[in-house]
Amino acid sequence: MPPDDTGVGHPKPHLLSRREVARSRLFAVEELELRFANGAERTFERLTGSGNGHGGGAVMIVAMPDPEHVLLIHEYAAGFDDYALTLPKGLIDPGEDIVSAANRELMEECGMGAQRIEPLVELSLAPNYMSHRIHVMLATDLYEKRLPGDEPEPLIVERHPIEDIASLLAREDFHEGRAIAALFIARDRLRSERTHEQWW
């Protein structure tokens, strides 16, 4: 079958109906009735934002205080009812671009700003039932600056060698897939840049 306009060989299923079945302060649950190209009909549920003004997505920051280390934060993860080690991240406020949002979150969560912030990749999370995407940003040339954030308690900030991701993966508190992917992508980008500089 030749690829269609989605580029994957299947036309998108036809939406028969869509309705909201639940809503909280942060999330809404939608039920979708779909008919696929082969005639099969299925009901899907998906989690969406609840329209609270944060429609611009989110950012996750790989912040480098020096060429060898990355900043990680310990924060309470309600989904696991435990503390987790991860990268600083947060929602993009209305009117913010991704660079401004990344710098603000970095100042709020790590007490650092960045002279240079560049996008690395855009990642999804559980795409079978969520439309959420996060912009992964690489922040370098850091300087001290703290902004008040909305965290309920001060976050513990940790420096870790970016070349030693293996030891992070061995820790029980480091398990967020997006953070793991972001570190590997950032590490490979930095390796490539160093190789290019040495070549020239």
Side-chain angles (χ1 to χ4, degrees):
M1 176 185 295
D4 64 314
D5 58 359
T6 66
V8 294
H10 291 286
K12 288 174 63 175
H14 178 66
L15 178 65
L16 300 175
S17 68
R18 177 174 63 192
R19 69 186 183 97
E20 184 179 291
V21 295
R23 174 176 287 267
S24 72
R25 180 176 59 88
L26 295 177
F27 305 110
V29 179
E30 286 187 341
E31 182 182 85
L32 307 177
E33 298 288 345
L34 301 172
R35 179 183 296 125
F36 289 79
N38 62 0
E41 294 185 7
R42 295 289 188 276
T43 301
F44 282 73
E45 289 184 353
R46 68 179 182 185
L47 196 64
T48 67
S50 63
N52 61 359
H54 291 287
V59 289
M60 173 176 277
I61 307 102
V62 180
M64 308 285 296
D66 60 61
E68 287 80 37
H69 293 86
V70 62
L71 298 181
L72 298 164
I73 59 169
H74 294 262
E75 66 176 354
Y76 178 73
F80 283 84
D81 187 26
D82 204 353
Y83 283 84
L85 184 68
T86 187
L87 292 170
K89 59 186 180 294
L91 295 172
I92 300 170
D93 286 342
E96 276 189 321
D97 57 46
I98 57 175
V99 172
S100 300
N103 213 16
R104 175 183 53 76
E105 287 292 342
L106 188 58
M107 293 175 187
E108 290 176 359
E109 298 192 353
C110 297
M112 305 289 286
Q115 299 283 0
R116 181 183 177 192
I117 300 179
E118 57 184 309
L120 281 178
V121 70
E122 192 175 350
L123 299 175
S124 66
L125 175 67
N128 280 15
Y129 64 91
M130 290 180 67
S131 60
H132 181 75
R133 293 175 181 264
I134 198 163
H135 302 273
V136 179
M137 313 293 286
L138 178 63
T140 53
D141 297 331
L142 304 189
Y143 57 92
E144 291 188 11
K145 183 172 182 181
R146 182 169 296 280
L147 290 177
D150 58 1
E151 291 76 22
E153 60 186 355
L155 299 179
I156 298 173
V157 181
E158 178 179 318
R159 294 186 182 209
H160 193 87
I162 197 167
E163 287 290 341
D164 189 16
I165 301 175
S167 69
L168 283 175
L169 295 175
R171 294 176 55 158
E172 291 185 0
D173 61 349
F174 184 74
H175 45 69
E176 184 179 357
R178 297 175 302 174
I180 294 168
L183 286 180
F184 275 109
I185 292 166
R187 185 198 65 182
D188 289 351
R189 165 74 71 85
L190 294 168
R191 282 179 177 178
S192 176
E193 289 178 355
R194 286 194 295 267
T195 300
H196 182 76
E197 290 172 359
Q198 292 170 0
W199 175 261
W200 291 104

